[in-house]
């Protein structure tokens, strides 16, 4: 018989992978005080691990007081981004800006069905995995290309390019249409790859 102590975790969402200094300082303070591990997740969020159940409300409250938002069922997914044009010599677009526009558009959304991942890259090299995400946005010299239906996992897939040369507003409008399509054709959770051949899917391959 083991004496394992039940513990839980708390994931702080970090839009565009940016870590505000106040949250970094608070996470450090909490990790020291409660002897927690800090894990930087593959979706670029900050996870505190090893939290005792009874400490969770206080830890959550202290971070929330600084404006932290937390991962949880139904939350709109924070796009994964690469560093983009400001800090990469290959970059031609700014993923942080596109991420902010998308999150602003969806900020009032109450519930988003799961298994929907969004990634944005500042060029076609796709370092953030835009080609292998449910919705992928890739900057090019002519604007943004949009991919749908990529995924990782045991059967990885490259997404289908459905739109080319979009401007920023065009990206947001297309993402909104895809999110609504996913919502309307999904019971609880589903990858986009399962929907791209649906007879009502609104886009064909863009060559
Ligand atoms: S996708 Fe392009 S812009 Fe983004 S980090 Fe990779 S090389 Fe740089």
């Amino acid at each position: 018989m083991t004496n394992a102590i039940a513990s839980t975790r708390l994931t702080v969402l970090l839009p565009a992978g940016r870590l505000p200094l106040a949250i970094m300082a608070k996470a450090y303070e909490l990790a020291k005080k409660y002897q927690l591990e800090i894990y930087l997740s593959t979706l670029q969020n900050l996870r505190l691990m090893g939290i005792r159940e009874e400490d969770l409300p206080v830890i959550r409250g202290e971070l929330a007081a600084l404006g932290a938002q937390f991962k949880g069922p139904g939350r709109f997914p924070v796009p994964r981004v690469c560093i983009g044009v400001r800090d990469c010599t290959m970059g031609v677009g700014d993923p942080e800006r596109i991420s902010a526009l998308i999150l602003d558009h969806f900020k009032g959304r109450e519930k988003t069905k799961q298994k929907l991942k969004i990634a944005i890259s500042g060029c076609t090299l796709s370092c953030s995995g835009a080609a292998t995400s449910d919705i992928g946005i890739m900057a090019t010299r002519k604007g943004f290309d949009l991919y749908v239906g990529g995924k990782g996992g045991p059967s990885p897939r490259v997404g289908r390019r459905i739109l080319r040369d979009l401007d920023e507003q065009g990206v947001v409008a297309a993402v909104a249409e895809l999110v609504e399509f996913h919502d309307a054709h999904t019971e609880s959770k589903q990858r986009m790859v399962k929907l791209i051949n649906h007879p009502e899917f609104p886009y064909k391959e863009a060559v």
Side-chain angles (χ1 to χ4, degrees), residues 66-89:
L66 298 173
Q69 304 269 318
F70 306 100
K71 184 178 177 184
R75 281 210 79 108
F76 188 80
V78 172
R80 180 165 55 188
V81 304
C82 77
I83 201 70
V85 65
R86 287 184 303 162
D87 295 283
C88 175
T89 54

Side-chain angles (χ1 to χ4, degrees), residues 13-18 42-45 76-82 95-104 106 116-121 128 133 135 137 175:
L13 299 176
L14 299 178
R18 267 61 174 187
T42 54
L43 291 180
Q44 302 179 316
N45 296 312
F76 188 80
V78 172
R80 180 165 55 188
V81 304
C82 77
E96 182 185 13
R97 176 169 166 75
I98 300 298
S99 172
L101 290 173
I102 291 171
L103 291 175
D104 186 58
F106 287 101
L116 185 68
K117 293 178 182 161
I118 302 174
I120 310 167
S121 66
S128 55
S133 290
I135 299 175
I137 299 147
V175 171

Side-chain angles (χ1 to χ4, degrees), residues 6 9 15 31 45 49 54 56 63 65 70 75 125 128 133 140 151-152 165 167-168 173 176 180-181 184 186 194 198:
R9 60 198 180 179
N45 296 312
M49 303 198 300
E54 60 266 39
L56 182 61
L63 287 162
F70 306 100
R75 281 210 79 108
L125 291 180
S128 55
S133 290
T140 73
K151 66 187 276 294
D165 308 339
D167 61 15
E168 292 176 344
E180 293 310 330
F181 187 86
T186 298
K194 297 270 177 77
H198 189 287

Side-chain angles (χ1 to χ4, degrees), residues 3-196:
N3 290 320
I5 298 170
S7 69
T8 189
R9 60 198 180 179
L10 181 66
T11 300
V12 180
L13 299 176
L14 299 178
R18 267 61 174 187
L19 176 54
L21 291 183
I23 290 181
M24 183 169 79
K26 179 57 74 176
Y28 173 77
E29 177 193 319
L30 292 167
K32 278 195 83 171
K33 181 174 178 182
Y34 294 99
Q35 299 185 311
L36 310 177
E37 261 190 301
I38 294 180
Y39 171 66
L40 302 177
S41 76
T42 54
L43 291 180
Q44 302 179 316
N45 296 312
L46 183 149
R47 186 171 299 157
L48 294 169
M49 303 198 300
I51 302 172
R52 294 188 307 171
E53 293 283 354
E54 60 266 39
D55 295 331
L56 182 61
V58 172
I59 290 172
R60 192 181 173 98
E62 290 201 28
L63 287 162
L66 298 173
Q69 304 269 318
F70 306 100
K71 184 178 177 184
R75 281 210 79 108
F76 188 80
V78 172
R80 180 165 55 188
V81 304
C82 77
I83 201 70
V85 65
R86 287 184 303 162
D87 295 283
C88 175
T89 54
M90 299 295 288
V92 291
D94 183 356
E96 182 185 13
R97 176 169 166 75
I98 300 298
S99 172
L101 290 173
I102 291 171
L103 291 175
D104 186 58
H105 180 86
F106 287 101
K107 65 177 183 279
R109 189 179 178 84
E110 297 248 319
K111 195 154 175 45
T112 301
K113 289 175 184 156
Q114 291 182 42
K115 294 288 177 189
L116 185 68
K117 293 178 182 161
I118 302 174
I120 310 167
S121 66
C123 80
T124 54
L125 291 180
S126 189
C127 296
S128 55
T132 50
S133 290
D134 295 279
I135 299 175
I137 299 147
M138 237 182 252
T140 73
R141 295 199 181 281
K142 294 182 176 175
F144 298 91
D145 289 355
L146 206 141
Y147 290 73
V148 180
K151 66 187 276 294
S155 307
R157 290 278 298 265
V158 173
R160 178 187 296 169
R161 184 171 57 193
I162 57 165
L163 290 164
R164 301 188 72 173
D165 308 339
L166 294 170
D167 61 15
E168 292 176 344
Q169 292 314 316
V171 169
V172 175
V175 171
E177 186 173 18
L178 291 167
V179 169
E180 293 310 330
F181 187 86
H182 180 267
D183 186 69
H185 295 85
T186 298
E187 279 193 20
S188 59
K189 55 185 177 180
Q190 182 157 238
R191 303 305 302 258
M192 282 300 285
V193 69
K194 297 270 177 77
L195 297 176
I196 57 176

